[in-house]
Amino acid sequence: MYVLQRLLQDRLGVTAVEYALIAALIAVAAIAAFTLVGTRLSTTFSTIANKL
């Protein structure tokens, strides 16, 4: 806990924490997008296979 308090008091630590939060948000958005695209792609291939 002491390390986290020191990071939040230090300007560079605050910037590092902000960048880590931004990176985590981007990762979550990318995972959600890939999951959605994968599901739609699977449905599309299934539809094509059924029509053949």
Side-chain angles (χ1 to χ4, degrees):
M1 191 62 153
Y2 178 71
V3 174
L4 183 60
Q5 288 175 343
R6 285 191 63 206
L7 274 175
L8 292 176
Q9 290 173 353
D10 185 16
R11 296 295 282 171
L12 293 176
V14 172
T15 303
V17 170
E18 289 172 351
Y19 282 132
L21 290 173
I22 291 170
L25 181 62
I26 291 172
V28 168
I31 290 169
F34 293 148
T35 302
L36 183 62
V37 168
T39 303
R40 287 188 181 176
L41 191 59
S42 176
T43 303
T44 302
F45 282 134
S46 294
T47 302
I48 292 171
N50 288 335
K51 289 185 178 182
L52 291 177

